[in-house]
Amino acid sequence: MDAAELARWTRFAAKGGIGKCTARIDCIAEETGDLMFLQDDEITVLMQLTEESLFLGYCEGVVGRFHGNHVVFHSKL
């Protein structure tokens, strides 16, 4: 992800994205582009990706992919 794209996603996250969720477990990034977070971290959901339970999110200044089964969504997206 280039700097301009990261800046766009960061601005969108600051506006609340499309929703919020809370991490149920610690999740370590396994591949480039994965989002790393700890249990109880709040994640701003930016978009649902093409795969059914894969999302793009923002947490602690980082944008990356995460699985929906690792989080609890605060509302329906």
Side-chain angles (χ1 to χ4, degrees):
M1 182 174 304
D2 66 23
E5 186 176 10
L6 177 60
R8 281 193 301 275
W9 284 123
T10 301
R11 285 191 304 274
F12 186 54
K15 294 178 181 179
I18 63 170
K20 303 267 186 189
C21 59
T22 302
R24 294 187 309 127
I25 61 171
D26 294 348
C27 189
I28 305 302
E30 296 178 359
E31 297 179 18
T32 301
D34 288 350
L35 186 63
M36 185 174 97
F37 48 83
L38 301 175
Q39 183 176 355
D40 297 325
D41 278 353
E42 185 176 82
I43 300 166
T44 302
V45 183
L46 302 174
M47 70 180 291
Q48 184 169 1
L49 300 173
T50 55
E51 297 170 29
E52 187 172 315
S53 67
L54 198 60
F55 295 85
L56 187 67
Y58 176 88
C59 182
E60 302 290 329
V62 178
V63 174
R65 298 180 303 262
F66 67 95
H67 289 280
N69 57 352
H70 295 161
V71 300
V72 175
F73 292 96
H74 297 183
S75 63
K76 187 173 181 172
L77 302 178

